[in-house]
Structure formats: C-alpha cells, structure tokens
Amino acid sequence: MCTVSFVAAESGFVITSNRDEHVLRRALPPIAKTVNSKKIVFPQDPQSGGTWFVTRDDGATIVLLNGAAQKHVRKANYRRSRGLVVTDLIESEPILHCWDHLDLDNIEPFTIVLFENYKLYQLRWDGIAKDSIQLPTEKPHIWSSSPLYTETVREKRSRLFSEFMVQNPRITPGLMMDFHMNTEVHDEQNGLVINRQGVLKTLSITQAIIGKNEINLKHLDLVNDQMYDNNLGSNTLAT
C-alpha cells in the first residue's frame, strides 16, 4: 500500500508491496475467490472489505498506494474506500477499460500499479482528475506513498532501489523480498519497514510472481511472523 516495486526477474515479473498502516488496522490472511470464472487471491482489509493487493489467475495484478503524485489534505469523510476500487477493477475485464469509466467522485486520492496482459500501467486519481500512463516492463520501477514520505525521502528510496538493481543483475523474488524487508533497516521513520512511535507500522509484505508457467501470491504477516503462499495455478496467458 505504501511502497511498491516492479521488476522483471528470471522467474517472471515480480511485484512487491509493503503495507504501512495503523497497528489496529490489521488485515485478514489472503483469501481466494472465483469471479467471472477467474480465480483471484488477495489479503482483505476487514474494515472496508477491500484490499490493496490482488492477483488474478491470468496474471492481472493491482496494487494500491495511498495518495497521488503529491500529498493531499484529507477530508473528514469520503464516499467509499479506495480498497473497494481495487476489487471493482479486478472483477472487470479489461481492467483498463473499467478504469476509464469508473466514477471516482469523492474518493480519496490514490495511485494504482496495474499489470494486465503483460503490460504495466500507473493509474492515478488526485481527487479531481484521472491520469494513466503505460510503463516499460523491461525496466524496474518503485513507488512510495506521497502522504507518508516526503519527496526527498522518495528520491532517496529510488536511488537505493537503482543501486540494489545494479548490484543484483540476476534478480529473484527472494532478493526483492529481502530488499523490501531489510533496506534502511535502522531507519524506523523512513526505511522500507517502518515503526513510527508504535502506532504506524509496516504490517505486511505482499508479493506476486507472474511466471511463464504459474502464478503465486506470497504474503508475509510481519505482526505474527507468518508467511502465506498461494498458488493460483497455471498461467492462463502463458505462451
């Protein structure tokens, strides 16, 4: 929800996300559902019923970050949770078409990383207008939540990510999990795993591996130190 990376690895495409949230807002372990004859897996936010990370058995993956390009002033109330936007989108096909027609009036600003049909997109809603761009899948990408991290911190994280990629030319899902867990480990304010006064913490790390032959979703619950490994089966778009 608050730090997301995308890389092309030897095993396939890897999308990894750290969820920074209030300690009272713990999520349920990943659940599997079948929607429109497609299997989806996602950790669920019990407060809204939505999610910040979902993967489908055709490889489509959606990851949510709070905020758009710049930090916004929060309103007292919003019409709907951003996590429900994610579930709306994953249940649609094609997802990008649904995004174009989705009503986001009075929804808090957000950024979505969308991987669909082996194409990568950044989708943003700033509270006024939508913005969508296609990104190259052969290049690595990282995002950090604008409400939680200043522009200076986000730039530093981008540099650390670039250095990590240079130092690890043979990237693997395990290396990406290590990057998300152990980068700037002593910086509890702005490292990738945070603990701000015991109130705002990185509660989990979720990772989708979209391989040529199969798709997996891994979810590491940092609160209970428990890993969940969900195999969605054969990649229906594999060639």
Side-chain angles (χ1 to χ4, degrees), residues 12-175:
F13 296 102
V14 181
I15 306 172
T16 312
S17 169
N18 287 22
R19 181 179 186 241
D20 304 336
E21 190 55 84
H22 193 286
V23 292
L24 297 180
R25 198 168 177 180
R26 300 181 183 180
L28 301 174
I31 61 173
K33 292 175 59 178
T34 299
V35 179
N36 299 326
S37 301
K38 292 188 182 296
K39 183 179 180 180
I40 63 173
V41 176
F42 59 94
Q44 189 174 43
D45 178 3
Q47 182 171 315
S48 69
T51 188
W52 69 97
F53 197 124
V54 61
T55 299
R56 204 165 63 188
D57 63 5
D58 62 357
T61 299
I62 301 172
V63 189
L64 174 76
L65 294 99
N66 293 337
Q70 302 297 329
K71 185 175 182 179
H72 60 278
V73 177
R74 294 194 69 188
K75 298 195 299 186
N77 294 289
Y78 288 96
R79 176 171 61 89
R80 202 161 181 254
S81 167
R82 292 166 291 191
L84 293 173
V85 173
V86 176
T87 56
D88 286 347
L89 289 172
I90 201 66
E91 294 177 4
S92 305
E93 196 173 0
I95 296 170
L96 201 60
H97 177 78
C98 177
W99 165 259
D100 290 337
H101 295 85
L102 199 63
D103 178 14
L104 297 175
D105 182 54
N106 199 24
I107 301 293
E108 190 170 1
F110 61 83
T111 299
I112 277 178
V113 177
L114 167 64
F115 186 73
E116 182 181 28
N117 295 326
Y118 290 97
K119 295 179 181 179
L120 180 67
Y121 304 91
Q122 174 188 279
L123 313 178
R124 275 186 167 149
W125 166 250
D126 65 4
I128 299 173
K130 296 176 186 174
D131 177 69
S132 58
I133 58 173
Q134 185 173 343
L135 300 170
T137 56
E138 67 273 13
K139 293 184 178 181
H141 305 274
I142 189 168
W143 296 261
S144 296
S145 172
S146 59
L148 281 183
Y149 302 102
T150 65
E151 186 173 352
T152 299
V153 171
R154 284 180 277 156
E155 289 174 354
K156 179 183 178 181
R157 284 162 156 236
S158 293
R159 290 195 302 272
L160 292 170
F161 180 61
S162 297
E163 292 168 2
F164 175 84
M165 296 303 297
V166 170
Q167 294 165 3
N168 296 277
R170 297 175 67 87
I171 205 70
T172 66
L175 280 171

